[in-house]
Amino acid sequence: MSNSYLKLANGVDGFFIKNDRFNTTVLSVNFYLPLKSETISAYALLPYVLTSCSNEYRDFSKLNFKLNMLYGADLVVSSNRVMDMQHVKIAISVINDEFTINKNSVINEAMDLLISLIFNPAVLNNSFFEDDVEREKRKLLENIAAEVNEKRVFAKNRMLEIMFENSPYGISKYGTEAGAKALTGQILYNAWQEMLKTAYVRVQVIGKQLPGGVFEQITKCFNNFNRENIVDYKNVTRLEKANNIKQVTEYFNVTQGKLVMGFSSEICGQNAYDLLLATDIFGGGPYSNLFTNVREKLSLCYYCSASAVRGKGFVMVQSGVEAENAEQAQTEILNQLESIKSGNISDFTFSASQKAISGALLAYNDNLGGIDQWYSANITQNEPISPEEAANIVNSITKQDVINAAKGINLNTVYRLMPKKEGE
Amino acid sequence: METKIFTNKILGEDYTVTTLKNGLKIYIYEKLQFNSLYAVYGTKYGSIDSTFNVNGKEYTVPDGIAHFLEHKLFESEDGDAFSKYAKTGAYANAFTSFDRTCYLFSATTNFDENLNILLDFVQNPYFTAETVKKEQGIIGQEIKMYEDSPSWRVMFNMLRAMYFNNPVKIDIAGTVESIAKIDDKILYDCYNTFYNPGNMFACIAGNIKTNDVLEKIQNSVKNKEPINLTRIYPNEPNGVVNDYTEQSLDVAIPLFCYGYKINLQNKVSLYDFIAMNAFLKILADDASPLYKRLTELKLINDEFDAEYFCGNSYSAVIFDGESFNPSQVAKEISREVESIIKNGVDSLLLESVKYDMYGQAVKRYNNVESIGHMLIDAAVFNFDYSNELEIIKNLTETDILNAAALLNKENSVLSVVNKKV
């Protein structure tokens, strides 16, 4: 697969990722803005307002009807954290013209639609329409409120909030209730303008061929904005090793408890595959220490797994535990990490992890959404390495690299979500 | 051995279905331009198969055995399957639903070895009283985890209010009490009944040549005596047990499931399935007048969804989501169903839904995993997917109205999970 890279405007990179195994073409426009507590809510809401209607399709039913007519073109919208940036993704995927009933030109029509949603929204007098903002705001507020419903995700978010207290990184990707409530059509308009003027932008097209004129059209749209003060998106503030471990326990009406542990990592970076491997050996696949020992041998948890957020440099362990086992599970999880730090990694586990990770990387190119995520998550390099190149790096990592990476992993925060006792 | 080829003329691709002498059906979809391969070895055995007749003798077994067996088969005398896959780098998993149990792997290398592992552990059960007892603890914890899941509870509460007797109303994993009754002997009995090749299927999609797979499977699959298996489902009266059910859990916004029980005389065909899904899109998808009204009334958010839930012996249409006023949502849905039945279908909306479904069906072939799951449905329901796009193209208003006519408000149930006060 060959990728081509084009600079479309100041701070706007265009990638064509050629892949001819799909029936579909994707256009994905990615904006990266500094993660700030005062703007998180605006950028959590903005992509949803932009993709619910537009100047051309004033009503979301009409827009959805249009998407149906484009052979079920899908809009993919999200607002997430990538490193210290808030990453706003607005993408469309559409079937290739050759598969339409009358060989219509749906690709270009879908690309035009996405571009018009981003650059030509329904606005008046420097403001989005309040009814559009209110409609999407209600849904955002309900998402924020509903975070408590699934305790596995809720417990993970609470741990992040505690670990990154006083930092915008600790705020939920949906922002806060107060932040969402304060949003108006005007605030959103200013955020939209700011995004188009200052965000780092990565435009990705994934498909058999680059649809004619798409990059040129996007360049033209950005040329209407004075793009001078592009945000610095490559620097990351890493969590330092904690002197005191933060421990918080909260009680809910549940039958099973959750134990989530957060760790700082001295190694940080999208391409830190040594950290990825160390975390996988610690608690990734079924060959990992947490699975084989804490879950299978000791039966302390129903699930118990570790994951690394490489771009920000931290590691999390998530587990489901009975209240009476929480203490022992925590001790055992830490013992397993210590065991890796002291070099206790079997050849079997090391090789299993290396094979599983490199295999998963090689599978990226078989998944459209995966490819889009891969290239939009890796912003430290102007031209990110491909999943195949990453697989080669993984295969060259040694046990000593993994031990060194593990040595930099240190407990920072423990969050326990526990069942309320009778009468509480 | 008999092989049939199913050609999708629009995509210019095909898949084969081969039936071995012992009855095993093998579905293969070549996708040579992909790196990955997705392989499933499955049995038409799920949580609803708790009463059955084998060679003239009737059995009723505790709930949760299909799922229990799924957990136990990963273990064998010489170690568990996960550690064997760990040597090849494949990703392995398994799942049990109402009507099937599937064991799968996905991999980018070592296909032969991975297939050997899959066929070997599924064909060689190994349980002892001690390992069964240990698993009861693990599954007990899994059951408890589902007790805390509002989305799981709201669905099963609805099924319990909908069905008097059909076992679809029972949790797939069973209950702590039912799994306590499971022992190694019952497990072997159920295994020998449902893991007979005549009741099983293999589905493989990805970078592999059809003949290579067939040869490999033929050489590894054990031949077993065919058995005469009949599933027995309890008689299910018309109507529902309760039209409303609720539970309180730690949720911020109430969750709801609003379902219509459908009494079907015949097995669902792919045509019926597509027509019902088209009706649901016309009724409740995001371009529909109902969706617009529910959004404007602030009654639903992006979680709102509609599904045709059907299998051997059960069939229902289910709407689920989050709402501060689930009763009003249910009222609006039933009003719109009646309005479509009475006034017919908006022809432009029908046209757009057909385009949408056509495009979504084309997109399914972008991914070996989604092709694999399509093949599983083809095996379990005996669907021929090669003409799916043609069926969608040819859908008419009559098809939609026939599907709509299956929904009767008298057979509907609203299940709500409320905030605990």
Side-chain angles (χ1 to χ4, degrees):
Chain A
M1 301 297 149
S2 59
N3 298 340
S4 47
Y5 162 83
L6 263 161
K7 194 172 156 67
L8 304 182
N10 188 21
V12 182
D13 289 330
F15 274 111
F16 170 54
I17 301 144
K18 186 174 165 56
N19 190 320
D20 41 22
R21 65 191 70 164
F22 303 119
N23 300 337
T24 313
T25 300
V26 169
L27 169 63
S28 165
V29 184
N30 300 276
F31 298 91
Y32 305 85
L33 294 132
L35 198 54
K36 287 192 222 157
S37 48
E38 54 279 23
T39 51
I40 282 182
S41 297
Y43 290 118
L45 187 64
L46 181 63
Y48 293 92
V49 174
L50 289 176
T51 52
S52 67
C53 58
S54 71
N55 202 15
E56 194 179 354
Y57 301 97
R58 268 300 289 123
D59 167 313
F60 69 87
S61 297
K62 292 200 176 89
L63 175 61
N64 288 320
F65 179 84
K66 178 68 191 168
L67 291 164
N68 278 357
M69 292 304 285
L70 289 171
Y71 287 82
D74 290 305
L75 286 174
V76 181
V77 184
S78 61
S79 174
N80 280 311
R81 290 165 286 212
V82 165
M83 299 172 14
D84 276 343
M85 294 283 120
Q86 189 167 2
H87 169 206
V88 172
K89 180 187 284 294
I90 303 177
I92 196 161
S93 89
V94 61
I95 64 168
N96 291 342
D97 298 347
E98 61 189 288
F99 298 116
T100 62
I101 295 168
N102 300 314
K103 314 278 177 252
N104 320 50
S105 169
V106 285
I107 294 183
N108 276 316
E109 224 184 307
M111 312 269 128
D112 290 349
L113 175 63
L114 191 77
I115 293 168
S116 81
L117 293 179
I118 295 170
F119 292 95
N120 189 18
V123 289
L124 187 69
N125 298 332
N126 297 340
S127 174
F128 282 86
F129 290 93
E130 294 302 338
D131 53 347
D132 294 334
V133 175
E134 287 305 315
R135 180 188 61 240
E136 298 307 316
K137 199 201 282 193
R138 174 185 64 87
K139 292 196 253 174
L140 177 66
L141 282 165
E142 292 186 11
N143 274 336
I144 294 170
E147 280 189 298
V148 73
N149 289 11
E150 290 300 333
K151 298 294 179 292
R152 190 173 177 152
V153 183
F154 176 79
K156 183 191 94 174
N157 289 343
R158 276 294 288 138
M159 191 286 291
L160 288 176
E161 206 175 339
I162 298 158
M163 184 152 82
F164 291 100
E165 63 177 341
N166 306 323
S167 148
Y169 200 91
I171 302 172
S172 149
K173 65 176 184 175
Y174 298 125
T176 60
E177 189 185 327
K181 278 187 174 158
L183 294 173
T184 62
Q186 214 172 10
I187 293 175
L188 226 52
Y189 182 90
N190 292 337
W192 172 64
Q193 286 283 313
E194 186 73 9
M195 177 174 94
L196 294 176
K197 285 178 195 162
T198 67
Y200 168 62
V201 187
R202 185 169 277 186
V203 182
Q204 302 182 160
V205 177
I206 308 155
K208 275 185 189 162
Q209 55 196 36
L210 183 64
V214 63
F215 280 163
E216 291 77 0
Q217 213 181 326
I218 290 172
T219 302
K220 223 166 120 189
C221 290
F222 276 112
N223 284 345
N224 294 329
F225 295 89
N226 186 14
R227 284 184 56 84
E228 275 177 354
N229 301 311
I230 307 304
V231 298
D232 170 16
Y233 55 93
K234 290 190 179 173
N235 283 333
V236 175
T237 313
R238 198 173 52 77
L239 205 61
E240 292 300 326
K241 184 176 172 182
N243 292 322
N244 299 308
I245 312 298
K246 292 182 226 173
Q247 298 233 31
V248 176
T249 304
E250 291 172 336
Y251 298 91
F252 287 81
N253 287 310
V254 291
T255 51
Q256 192 186 55
K258 309 283 175 209
L259 165 68
V260 188
M261 299 160 78
F263 301 80
S264 60
S265 160
E266 282 167 21
I267 291 179
C268 170
Q270 287 292 357
N271 291 334
Y273 293 101
D274 44 359
L275 175 62
L276 176 63
L277 217 52
T279 311
D280 188 62
I281 288 167
F282 177 32
Y287 41 78
S288 69
N289 285 20
L290 294 185
F291 189 91
T292 51
N293 294 302
V294 184
R295 191 189 120 127
E296 292 293 297
K297 215 176 275 171
L298 299 167
S299 295
L300 287 171
C301 314
Y302 173 62
Y303 65 89
C304 186
S305 66
S307 56
V309 179
R310 304 193 300 280
K312 180 69 178 168
F314 70 93
V315 171
M316 273 183 289
V317 170
Q318 301 181 65
S319 65
V321 291
E322 300 288 327
E324 64 269 24
N325 290 337
E327 192 61 39
Q328 201 195 340
Q330 184 177 326
T331 308
E332 268 313 313
I333 290 166
L334 293 173
N335 285 345
Q336 294 306 324
L337 180 61
E338 284 312 310
S339 158
I340 295 174
K341 287 184 184 183
S342 62
N344 198 359
I345 304 169
S346 72
D347 289 342
F348 168 81
T349 310
F350 181 76
S351 135
S353 173
Q354 209 169 28
K355 280 180 187 157
I357 301 264
S358 61
L361 287 165
L362 290 176
Y364 259 96
N365 275 333
D366 288 345
N367 182 324
L368 258 176
I371 298 175
D372 185 28
Q373 281 303 337
W374 175 268
Y375 287 98
S376 62
N378 198 342
I379 53 170
T380 34
Q381 290 170 301
N382 285 340
E383 289 184 68
I385 59 169
S386 67
E388 286 92 341
E389 287 167 306
N392 286 336
I393 297 176
V394 166
N395 286 330
S396 71
I397 287 171
T398 63
K399 239 189 228 183
Q400 193 54 49
D401 296 332
V402 166
I403 296 165
N404 293 345
K407 281 183 177 162
I409 300 174
N410 294 296
L411 183 63
N412 181 291
T413 301
V414 179
Y415 175 72
R416 292 184 193 175
L417 187 157
M418 289 293 141
K420 274 184 187 163
K421 295 184 191 95
E422 288 294 314
E424 275 185 276
Chain B
M1 185 173 96
E2 186 198 9
T3 297
K4 274 190 192 163
I5 301 173
F6 293 83
T7 305
N8 185 322
K9 288 183 193 132
I10 295 166
L11 295 179
E13 295 180 1
D14 48 41
Y15 66 93
T16 62
V17 182
T18 303
T19 310
L20 299 185
K21 267 192 190 148
N22 62 19
L24 178 72
K25 284 195 159 187
I26 305 164
Y27 292 69
I28 304 171
Y29 202 116
E30 287 186 5
K31 274 282 190 186
L32 298 179
Q33 66 277 48
F34 280 66
N35 292 335
S36 342
L37 184 126
Y38 190 76
V40 178
Y41 192 22
T43 163
K44 291 183 226 174
Y45 177 37
S47 62
I48 60 170
D49 300 309
S50 47
T51 302
F52 46 90
N53 184 308
V54 189
N55 298 336
K57 196 177 163 201
E58 192 172 316
Y59 297 82
T60 295
V61 296
D63 293 318
I65 294 202
H67 173 259
F68 205 103
L69 265 174
E70 174 218 308
H71 271 236
K72 288 317 300 167
L73 278 187
F74 274 94
E75 271 172 38
S76 62
E77 243 177 315
D78 59 341
D80 72 279
F82 281 127
S83 40
K84 292 173 189 165
Y85 280 124
K87 289 182 189 147
T88 68
Y91 166 81
N93 210 340
F95 64 89
T96 308
S97 67
F98 297 103
D99 56 2
R100 65 196 75 173
T101 310
C102 295
Y103 302 84
L104 60 95
F105 71 80
S106 71
T108 47
T109 51
N110 300 321
F111 175 66
D112 286 1
E113 268 174 276
N114 288 321
L115 190 63
N116 277 340
I117 296 169
L118 177 67
L119 295 170
D120 181 61
F121 84 82
V122 178
Q123 292 190 93
N124 291 297
Y126 170 72
F127 332 113
T128 63
E130 194 193 335
T131 61
V132 169
K133 196 160 187 309
K134 190 184 166 203
E135 206 63 36
Q136 278 160 340
I138 292 172
I139 294 177
Q141 283 191 44
E142 185 177 348
I143 291 171
K144 277 192 179 175
M145 192 176 76
Y146 283 117
E147 279 171 16
D148 285 340
S149 166
S151 53
W152 191 259
R153 292 272 53 93
V154 75
M155 163 89 170
F156 275 94
N157 292 347
M158 186 204 71
L159 292 172
R160 271 202 287 272
M162 186 177 270
Y163 288 96
F164 291 91
N165 302 320
N166 193 297
V168 73
K169 67 180 185 168
I170 297 160
D171 273 42
I172 288 166
T175 61
V176 173
E177 296 74 40
S178 76
I179 62 164
K181 294 179 199 147
I182 295 174
D183 60 27
D184 46 337
K185 187 189 168 301
I186 303 176
L187 286 178
Y188 277 114
D189 283 347
C190 291
Y191 177 86
N192 289 327
T193 304
F194 291 99
Y195 284 71
N196 186 290
N199 190 49
M200 296 183 75
F201 51 87
C203 302
I204 291 121
N207 186 359
I208 191 76
K209 291 267 177 55
T210 304
N211 286 339
D212 294 349
V213 184
L214 284 178
E215 196 188 317
K216 196 93 205 132
I217 296 182
Q218 254 187 312
N219 291 338
S220 313
V221 164
K222 290 181 189 169
N223 286 321
K224 289 187 187 166
E225 278 296 305
I227 54 162
N228 197 355
L229 167 66
T230 320
R231 292 165 175 80
I232 299 166
Y233 300 112
N235 179 40
E236 178 65 31
N238 281 331
V240 296
V241 183
N242 282 310
D243 59 7
Y244 183 75
T245 174
E246 68 173 23
Q247 182 184 357
S248 294
L249 282 172
D250 240 327
V251 295
I253 304 173
L255 276 77
F256 68 89
C257 251
Y258 179 53
Y260 286 79
K261 178 178 171 182
I262 293 174
N263 297 315
L264 281 181
Q265 303 308 319
N266 302 314
K267 266 186 96 171
V268 174
S269 68
L270 183 60
Y271 206 104
D272 302 333
F273 189 75
I274 290 172
M276 182 60 89
N277 278 305
F279 163 63
L280 292 180
K281 279 182 175 283
I282 288 166
L283 174 73
D285 208 14
D286 54 13
S288 69
L290 174 68
Y291 190 93
K292 187 176 183 198
R293 193 161 68 244
L294 292 173
T295 303
E296 283 171 353
L297 292 169
K298 303 181 183 177
L299 288 172
I300 56 163
N301 56 32
D302 292 343
E303 299 296 312
F304 182 65
D305 201 12
E307 182 201 358
Y308 186 28
F309 170 80
C310 61
N312 210 349
S313 83
Y314 62 89
S315 166
V317 157
I318 301 170
F319 303 87
D320 68 281
E322 297 170 349
S323 179
F324 286 105
N325 191 348
S327 303
Q328 192 59 34
V329 177
K331 257 185 219 158
E332 295 287 341
I333 291 171
S334 65
R335 197 180 300 161
E336 190 71 14
V337 171
E338 280 157 30
S339 157
I340 290 180
I341 292 173
K342 194 172 146 210
N343 304 319
V345 177
D346 172 345
S347 58
L348 275 178
L349 189 56
L350 168 61
E351 205 53 29
S352 86
V353 160
K354 284 164 67 174
Y355 279 113
D356 178 37
M357 291 178 75
Y358 190 97
Q360 298 301 344
V362 169
K363 283 182 196 173
R364 191 191 306 125
Y365 298 87
N366 280 340
N367 185 300
V368 291
E369 188 176 334
S370 53
I371 297 172
H373 283 264
M374 176 187 82
L375 297 179
I376 296 173
D377 279 342
V380 173
F381 296 126
N382 205 16
F383 283 172
D384 166 7
Y385 276 99
S386 65
N387 60 1
E388 180 189 16
L389 295 173
E390 293 293 336
I391 296 176
I392 296 170
K393 250 165 67 175
N394 296 328
L395 279 178
T396 64
E397 185 182 3
T398 312
D399 296 323
I400 306 299
L401 291 176
N402 287 343
L406 294 171
L407 276 69
N408 176 354
K409 199 181 163 199
E410 299 300 307
N411 291 335
S412 69
V413 175
L414 176 63
S415 162
V416 178
V417 165
N418 271 321
K419 191 183 168 112
K420 209 160 197 164
V421 190

